[in-house]
C-alpha cells in the first residue's frame, strides 16, 4: 500500500525564510494518479522534491506508507522520479540506461536482464535497446526515462513535467501512454505540470496550487465545474472562465444580476442561496464559461431574461469550435464558444444568452465561490 500523507508541510529558503510551500496538507491514496498543477513558481516542483528527499522539509511531516520520511535519504524511500530533461547517460545504450539503477543495487545479471526486457516490452521500446540516446526521438527518450523508473518496481512514481520538452502531437500520445501505464502498473503517481490540459486528462484528483498554497483538491470534473475561487476558475479551462462584476438586486420578487449595461435573472435555487447569505444589494463577481453562453435559440428560449447584446471584435477558429470575442461594455471581452459554421463580421451586433444554471458567483474581494454549483 503506497499512501502518502503531508502534515502541515512548509518549505522556505534564505535568511528571510520566505515560504515557497505553506501549510501543505494532503492525503494521497494507494494507486492514485494525482496531478499538482499551477503557474511557474507556485511550489509544485519543490513539493515533489521534498517527497523525493531532494529538498529538506523546513517544517511539518511527510509520511510514505505510514513511515515518517523527513530524515530518510532518497535511496531508502522506494520512489522513482522522472525528470523534465530525461537525465539519460549519453554514453550508455538504452539497455544500460534502464539497467543502471539495478546494477547499483547489485542485482544478479539475469534478473536485471529479465526486468529490463519486461519494462522495454511494456513501453514498446524493445527494438531500441542497443541504441544510444542521441539516436532516439524525444518521445523515445522519454520512454527510456520511464523504463528506468518502472524497472525498479517502486512504491511511488514522481514525475516532474516529463512531457514539456515534447511537441504538441507527441505530448498527446505520451499522455495516453502514461494513462495506460498507470492502469497497468497500478503504482501511486504524483505528476507535476503547469499544463491544465494534462491535469484534466490524466488525474484521478487535481491539486491546484498558487503561491505555495493549495487552492483546491478534487476530481477534474469538480475542479472544472465547481472551482473554489476565481483563480482556479481562470487557471483551469481554455479559454478561461468569463468574469463580470455586478450588483445583486431584487425586482418584482426575483433576484437579478445588474451591470450598467444589462441585467440577468438568477434561477430560484441560486437566488435563495445568495439571499440567505445576505448578498442582496452587494457587488459580486459572476463567472460563466464560454460554452455556457450561446447564440442558439434553444438557450434564448430557456433563459429569455438572461440575454446580453455585444459587438463582435474578432474570433478564433479552433477546428471544432469558434471562439467569439464580444465587447459588452466591460473591462474585458466576453468569450463565447460557438459552432465553426457560424460566421461573424467585425463590429457586427451579436446577442447571446447565458445558461444561468451553470453560472457561478464569487466574492469580489476574496475570489471565493459563493454558490455551491
Amino acid at each position: 500500500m503506497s499512501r502518502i500523507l503531508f502534515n502541515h508541510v512548509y518549505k522556505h529558503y534564505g535568511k528571510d525564510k520566505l515560504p515557497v510551500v505553506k501549510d501543505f496538507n494532503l492525503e494521497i491514496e494507494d494507486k492514485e494518479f494525482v496531478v499538482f498543477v499551477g503557474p511557474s513558481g507556485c511550489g509544485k516542483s519543490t513539493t515533489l522534491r521534498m517527497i523525493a528527499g531532494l529538498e529538506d522539509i523546513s517544517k511539518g511531516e511527510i509520511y510514505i506508507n505510514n513511515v515518517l520520511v523527513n530524515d530518510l535519504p532518497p535511496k531508502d524511500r522506494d520512489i522513482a522520479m522522472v525528470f523534465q530533461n530525461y537525465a539519460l547517460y549519453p554514453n550508455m545504450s538504452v539497455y544500460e540506461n534502464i539497467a543502471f539503477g539495478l546494477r547499483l543495487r547489485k542485482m544478479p545479471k539475469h534478473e536485471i536482464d529479465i526486468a529490463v526486457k519486461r519494462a522495454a516490452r511494456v513501453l514498446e521500446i524493445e527494438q531500441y535497446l542497443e541504441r544510444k540516446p542521441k539516436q532516439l526521438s524525444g518521445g523515445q527518450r522519454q520512454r527510456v526515462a520511464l523504463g528506468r523508473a518502472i524497472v525498479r518496481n517502486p512504491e511511488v512514481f514522481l514525475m516532474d513535467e516529463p512531457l514539456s520538452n515534447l511537441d504538441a502531437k507527441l505530448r498527446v500520445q505520451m499522455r495516453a501512454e502514461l494513462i495506460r501505464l498507470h492502469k497497468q502498473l497500478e503504482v501511486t503517481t504524483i505528476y507535476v505540470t503547469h499544463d491544465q490540459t494534462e491535469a484534466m486528462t490524466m488525474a484521478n484528483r487535481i491539486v491546484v496550487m498558487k503561491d505555495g498554497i493549495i487552492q483546491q483538491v478534487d476530481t477534474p470534473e469538480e475542479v472544472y465545474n465547481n472551482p473554489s475561487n476565481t483563480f482556479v476558475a481562470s487557471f483551469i479551462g481554455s479559454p478561461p472562465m468569463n468574469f463580470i462584476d455586478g450588483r445583486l438586486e431584487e425586482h418584482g420578487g426575483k433576484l437579478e444580476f445588474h451591470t450598467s449595461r444589462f441585467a440577468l435573472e438568477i434561477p430560484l435555487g441560486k437566488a435563495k442561496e445568495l439571499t440567505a447569505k445576505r448578498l442582496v444589494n452587494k457587488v459580486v463577481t459572476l463567472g460563466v464559461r464560454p460554452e455556457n453562453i450561446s447564440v442558439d435559440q434553444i438557450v434564448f428560449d430557456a433563459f429569455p431574461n438572461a440575454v446580453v447584446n455585444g459587438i463582435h471584435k474578432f474570433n478564433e477558429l479552433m477546428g471544432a469550435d469558434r471562439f467569439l470575442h464580444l465587447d459588452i461594455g466591460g473591462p474585458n471581452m466576453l468569450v463565447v464558444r460557438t459552432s465553426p459554421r457560424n460566421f461573424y463580421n467585425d463590429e457586427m451586433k451579436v446577442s447571446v444568452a447565458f445558461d444561468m444554471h451553470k453560472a457561478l458567483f464569487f466574492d469580489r474581494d476574496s475570489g471565493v465561490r459563493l454558490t455551491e454549483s
Side-chain angles (χ1 to χ4, degrees):
M1 183 175 177
S2 307
R3 178 172 164 270
I4 301 171
L5 177 66
F6 297 84
N7 185 29
H8 299 290
V9 171
Y10 288 77
K11 177 63 183 179
H12 51 69
Y13 295 102
K15 294 180 181 179
D16 296 332
K17 294 188 175 180
L18 294 174
V20 177
V21 176
K22 309 169 190 176
D23 200 21
F24 195 96
N25 292 282
L26 180 67
E27 188 172 332
I28 298 173
E29 296 297 336
D30 183 41
K31 300 177 183 178
E32 264 199 300
F33 195 121
V34 173
V35 175
F36 293 174
V37 67
S40 297
C42 72
K44 56 190 184 296
S45 290
T46 300
T47 304
L48 196 77
R49 291 172 65 83
M50 284 192 285
I51 305 170
L54 302 177
E55 293 277 2
D56 293 331
I57 300 164
S58 301
K59 182 181 176 183
E61 301 161 326
I62 296 179
Y63 294 86
I64 300 177
N65 292 340
N66 298 317
V67 175
L68 181 66
V69 299
N70 287 39
D71 300 317
L72 207 62
K75 65 183 180 64
D76 296 330
R77 299 193 183 198
D78 200 13
I79 56 96
M81 194 160 180
V82 180
F83 295 93
Q84 177 180 351
N85 62 357
Y86 318 137
L88 302 177
Y89 296 103
N91 60 320
M92 293 184 183
S93 68
V94 168
Y95 184 102
E96 291 167 333
N97 267 282
I98 295 174
F100 185 75
L102 303 182
R103 285 176 176 161
L104 288 179
R105 293 182 176 185
K106 309 293 185 185
M107 182 182 284
K109 190 173 181 179
H110 72 281
E111 291 183 19
I112 291 175
D113 189 63
I114 292 170
V116 170
K117 289 180 178 176
R118 183 189 299 126
R121 186 165 57 253
V122 168
L123 291 164
E124 300 178 356
I125 54 173
E126 294 168 284
Q127 65 270 41
Y128 306 125
L129 287 175
E130 300 307 315
R131 294 189 186 182
K132 297 289 179 65
K134 67 180 180 181
Q135 298 172 298
L136 304 176
S137 68
Q140 290 163 349
R141 291 179 193 178
Q142 191 55 272
R143 286 171 186 260
V144 176
L146 287 168
R148 190 172 52 192
I150 290 169
V151 78
R152 294 176 53 193
N153 194 26
E155 289 288 331
V156 178
F157 281 136
L158 304 177
M159 300 189 181
D160 192 3
E161 305 207 42
L163 308 185
S164 60
N165 287 338
L166 304 180
D167 62 44
K169 184 178 179 181
L170 258 180
R171 280 202 301 272
V172 173
Q173 292 175 353
M174 286 303 297
R175 282 205 306 266
E177 193 66 31
L178 286 172
I179 294 168
R180 180 189 68 82
L181 204 58
H182 179 254
K183 289 179 178 178
Q184 183 176 344
L185 300 176
E186 295 187 321
V187 176
T188 305
T189 302
I190 304 176
Y191 186 104
V192 162
T193 183
H194 64 274
D195 186 333
Q196 53 101 8
T197 302
E198 289 182 11
M200 289 293 294
T201 55
M202 299 173 72
N204 299 134
R205 285 192 300 159
I206 295 174
V207 179
V208 185
M209 297 179 66
K210 178 190 177 189
D211 299 331
I213 299 171
I214 293 177
Q215 303 294 307
Q216 187 170 358
V217 182
D218 219 320
T219 63
E221 293 81 7
E222 278 299 304
V223 169
Y224 187 81
N225 293 318
N226 295 303
S228 61
N229 55 43
T230 51
F231 171 78
V232 176
S234 61
F235 192 82
I236 300 295
S238 181
M241 183 177 284
N242 294 287
F243 297 110
I244 306 168
D245 288 344
R247 184 181 298 275
L248 297 176
E249 300 179 8
E250 282 187 339
H251 293 277
K254 296 179 179 179
L255 188 65
E256 297 175 343
F257 176 83
H258 278 256
T259 74
S260 61
R261 292 282 302 275
F262 57 84
L264 307 173
E265 184 181 325
I266 300 171
L268 184 60
K270 290 183 189 292
K272 286 182 176 179
E273 196 174 353
L274 293 166
T275 301
K277 293 182 178 180
R278 300 181 179 179
L279 292 169
V280 178
N281 297 322
K282 303 287 186 182
V283 175
V284 298
T285 299
L286 167 72
V288 61
R289 294 207 178 273
E291 63 267 28
N292 296 324
I293 308 171
S294 181
V295 297
D296 295 336
Q297 189 60 47
I298 189 170
V299 183
F300 279 83
D301 293 340
F303 301 96
N305 298 318
V307 175
V308 174
N309 299 314
I311 303 296
H312 172 257
K313 292 300 181 180
F314 67 94
N315 66 77
E316 300 169 285
L317 180 61
M318 304 295 288
D321 298 297
R322 188 185 295 276
F323 296 121
L324 307 184
H325 293 254
L326 305 181
D327 181 358
I328 59 170
N332 302 313
M333 293 284 183
L334 185 73
V335 182
V336 180
R337 187 194 300 264
T338 186
S339 168
R341 294 188 296 273
N342 297 333
F343 184 78
Y344 300 87
N345 292 315
D346 290 348
E347 304 302 316
M348 179 180 177
K349 292 181 180 179
V350 179
S351 294
V352 293
F354 284 47
D355 182 343
M356 294 302 291
H357 289 311
K358 301 289 181 63
L360 298 174
F361 293 88
F362 301 88
D363 183 273
R364 187 179 63 167
D365 297 322
S366 68
V368 173
R369 192 180 77 233
L370 298 170
T371 49
E372 288 302 313
S373 60

